Amino acid sequence: MTDYILALDQGTTSSRAIVFDRQGQVRARAQKEFRQIFPQPGWVEHDALEIWSTQSGVMQEALSSAGIRASDLAAIGITNQRETVVVWDRRTGQPIHHAIVWQDRRTAAFCDELAAAGHTELFRRKTGLVLDAYFSGTKVRWLLDHVPGARARAEAGELCFGTVDSWLVYQLTGGQLHVTDASNASRTLLYDIHTGGWDDELLAVLDVPRAILPEVRSSSEVYGTTSPGLLGAQVPIAGIAGDQQAATFGQVCVDVGMAKNTYGTGCFMLLNTGTEAVESQHRLLTTVAWQRDAQRTYALEGGVFVGGAVVQWLRDGLGIIRSSADVEALAASVPDTGGVVLVPAFVGLGAPYWDPYARGTVVGLTRGTTAAHLARAALESVAFQSAELLEAMQQDVRRSGTAVSEVRVDGGGSVNDAMMQFQADILGVPVVRPQVTETTALGAAFLAGRAVDFWADDAELRSLWRVDQRFEPRLGADERAARLGTWKRAVERSRDWARPDHEGALSV
């Protein structure tokens, strides 16, 4: 009897593996951080081989911790940091360069060139995305242009491009599969979300050869099995979704109008719009949430580039806390921020600004400012950024009569009660935290489990989702508006700060 699903959750700062049982409960988990590589300001890279070694290591560790064998698994589901680009040799499996991470800004100047050439509307119309260095397409172009011989090898079919899901599947299957799913494909600037395929016009504009691309598959189907010698049993790989889409599915936001917010390295809000790809009037993204049985479900998305990463900065950059868990007590030791506002635009600003040249800013400092005030301002910055996303979403869907009645939350930051209460206060709608906050991994497990009939239908998934705590808003409308107004003043002071040089590096 196969009573478990293994979810591989490959994130920006760590690789994780979680074993779920039939009740959707965590039976075991394992996690390992890996290096963050910063070759120069605004550039962020990962070692793709290290990603695989940490992911394969925690996979084995989670099975051992659960006291089960691979033969006890019904399927494996994969969720991953999105937009991060790996290019590798199709025959040897060796990457040709470090992975270029979604946070990386090296192609910001190229995106400006594309916009100046009049391509903004083309990309918006076909991909639902804005022209920004965040997405994969310009990163692929950079690798092909800057790694010696890469372009010729790509055109000859010798190289594979993939987001991290593709890289993991390639490794899990011993190089037998080069695939991705529709949710990850929709983040590349190369995929038409309306037709459901790679688009020749987009490929031509970005000068990316079709021969390098993976096959696009559903988010919930059996793609293949793990290679025979990897786990001791051949396990079906049956679910793939980008981390934020997986979290939306793990929160069982399967109905139109349901929204979730994930607090991870970044902070991402998605609103299910069903089979309609809603065009945002407020610079949100229109994205594929998932594809099942050849039907695509769409979502509006807003992304905060620096969410939980601001706490890591307090820990590693400033040294004012010893562990990330210490931030809640430090922030709670003062009643407010003392007038301090922190805008963590360390790698630019995402929606609704899309300003790659914004940089981190702290305003309101006085001689009375303490580490506690800064910690509290850091936590509040995450909530303020999320509030701007919800405000834009509500305006976009209002014309269709859709209203957001609550926001389901997950991810590491969601366990912080004080921050979740402030989030509800500043959103103006209830914030609901489920009992299982590992919803990114759970979404990958749900997608894989549905593909192999481990769970019968969406109704069964709904029954497995249970509330842990509900945070009701307590701020009045006037005070909420005043707080948001102060935040927006601070954001304006962070904007358009860095400038690209002719090589794409950023400087003041």
Side-chain angles (χ1 to χ4, degrees):
M1 189 70 175
T2 51
D3 288 327
Y4 305 97
I5 299 283
L6 175 65
L8 305 184
D9 182 357
Q10 204 300 300
T12 308
T13 58
S14 68
S15 296
R16 307 169 72 236
I18 301 180
V19 176
F20 290 96
D21 62 20
R22 288 186 179 274
Q23 286 69 51
Q25 297 297 305
V26 174
R27 293 298 296 264
R29 74 190 84 198
Q31 178 172 353
K32 187 172 180 59
E33 292 190 3
F34 52 85
R35 288 179 302 147
Q36 305 297 303
I37 303 165
F38 307 104
Q40 58 179 280
W43 292 29
V44 189
E45 296 178 354
H46 291 157
D47 180 341
L49 292 174
E50 188 180 4
I51 285 176
W52 169 240
S53 90
T54 54
Q55 190 67 74
S56 60
V58 295
M59 180 170 61
Q60 302 278 5
E61 185 182 340
L63 292 177
S64 177
S65 180
I68 64 174
R69 295 177 295 184
S71 57
D72 297 316
L73 296 173
I76 292 174
I78 296 171
T79 183
N80 55 285
Q81 53 166 314
R82 303 173 304 171
E83 298 95 17
T84 294
V85 166
V86 186
V87 176
W88 67 94
D89 185 290
R90 188 180 298 276
R91 182 178 58 83
T92 67
Q94 288 295 308
I96 66 168
H97 188 277
H98 282 150
I100 300 182
V101 180
W102 59 272
Q103 297 164 315
D104 189 281
R105 311 308 296 167
R106 76 186 66 186
T107 61
F110 178 52
C111 290
D112 290 345
E113 293 173 15
L114 290 172
H119 294 304
T120 300
E121 177 59 20
L122 169 69
F123 283 96
R124 187 205 61 76
R125 175 169 49 84
K126 290 195 173 189
T127 72
L129 308 177
V130 299
L131 263 177
D132 189 84
Y134 173 32
F135 303 106
S136 307
T138 60
K139 303 179 197 299
V140 181
R141 159 76 176 259
W142 189 95
L143 286 172
L144 297 183
D145 286 345
H146 288 81
V147 176
R151 180 166 292 283
R153 294 173 66 197
E155 290 171 350
E158 297 174 10
L159 300 181
C160 295
F161 148 66
T163 42
V164 173
D165 58 304
S166 298
W167 172 242
L168 293 181
V169 172
Y170 183 90
Q171 295 293 336
L172 287 165
T173 61
Q176 295 303 301
L177 285 178
H178 182 209
V179 301
T180 190
D181 89 298
S183 73
N184 279 293
S186 75
R187 314 296 296 189
T188 62
L189 288 173
L190 304 171
Y191 174 87
D192 187 324
I193 63 172
H194 307 288
T195 64
W198 302 118
D199 185 84
D200 287 330
E201 187 176 10
L202 300 175
L203 291 170
V205 170
L206 290 178
D207 200 13
V208 173
R210 182 176 280 270
I212 203 173
L213 302 175
E215 179 187 359
V216 182
R217 305 276 285 272
S218 164
S219 308
S220 179
E221 66 171 272
V222 177
Y223 314 103
T225 63
T226 56
S227 58
L230 184 65
L231 293 170
Q234 291 182 269
V235 183
I237 303 166
I240 299 174
D243 53 11
Q244 303 313 317
Q245 289 98 327
T248 308
F249 200 79
Q251 288 277 29
V252 200
C253 292
V254 295
D255 298 318
V256 175
M258 298 183 74
K260 73 89 200 176
N261 200 23
T262 296
Y263 301 82
T265 302
C267 194
F268 296 87
M269 186 177 291
L270 270 74
L271 172 66
N272 185 327
T273 63
T275 56
E276 180 187 2
V278 173
E279 291 187 9
S280 176
Q281 305 303 308
H282 300 88
R283 307 197 76 197
L284 298 175
L285 306 179
T286 305
T287 196
V288 175
W290 48 77
Q291 180 175 313
R292 296 191 289 166
D293 299 325
Q295 179 172 293
R296 287 181 296 280
T297 295
Y298 297 94
L300 280 173
E301 176 181 328
V304 170
F305 291 160
V306 176
V310 74
V311 177
Q312 290 180 320
W313 174 68
L314 296 178
R315 181 192 69 188
D316 303 334
L318 298 187
I320 65 174
I321 54 175
R322 299 185 70 175
S323 72
S324 296
D326 295 337
V327 70
E328 184 170 8
L330 180 60
S333 68
V334 290
D336 52 46
T337 67
V340 173
V341 181
L342 189 161
V343 182
F346 304 142
V347 291
L349 287 170
Y353 300 100
W354 295 108
D355 183 352
Y357 308 123
R359 285 297 176 266
T361 303
V362 183
V363 296
L365 294 172
T366 69
R367 282 290 301 274
T369 300
T370 67
H373 292 116
L374 201 57
R376 191 175 184 102
L379 293 184
E380 289 191 0
S381 74
V382 180
F384 278 124
Q385 290 176 98
S386 297
E388 289 197 277
L389 300 181
L390 183 63
E391 182 179 56
M393 283 181 180
Q394 288 175 318
Q395 291 172 359
D396 274 338
V397 300
R398 190 168 292 144
R399 66 183 185 276
S400 66
T402 302
V404 180
S405 59
E406 66 179 28
V407 174
R408 296 182 173 186
V409 296
D410 53 73
S414 69
V415 302
N416 186 323
D417 287 358
M419 189 167 85
M420 291 301 97
Q421 183 57 59
F422 184 75
Q423 183 70 90
D425 291 342
I426 212 69
L427 287 178
V429 299
V431 164
V432 185
R433 182 174 65 207
Q435 290 179 9
V436 177
T437 58
E438 300 281 9
T439 50
T440 303
L442 183 60
F446 278 169
L447 287 165
R450 289 284 289 109
V452 296
D453 294 323
F454 188 79
W455 291 294
D457 50 31
D458 288 354
E460 185 174 2
L461 301 186
R462 289 187 187 92
S463 73
L464 299 176
W465 189 90
R466 298 180 180 89
V467 174
D468 171 60
Q469 192 164 344
R470 186 178 179 90
F471 301 87
E472 298 286 345
R474 299 185 303 202
L475 278 185
D478 290 344
E479 186 176 356
R480 183 182 306 117
R483 296 290 300 271
L484 278 168
T486 300
W487 163 258
K488 290 179 180 181
R489 286 174 57 215
V491 168
E492 288 308 309
R493 284 157 173 78
S494 78
R495 298 197 60 190
D496 197 30
W497 182 257
R499 288 288 189 277
D501 64 21
H502 66 284
E503 294 294 332
L506 297 176
S507 60
V508 174

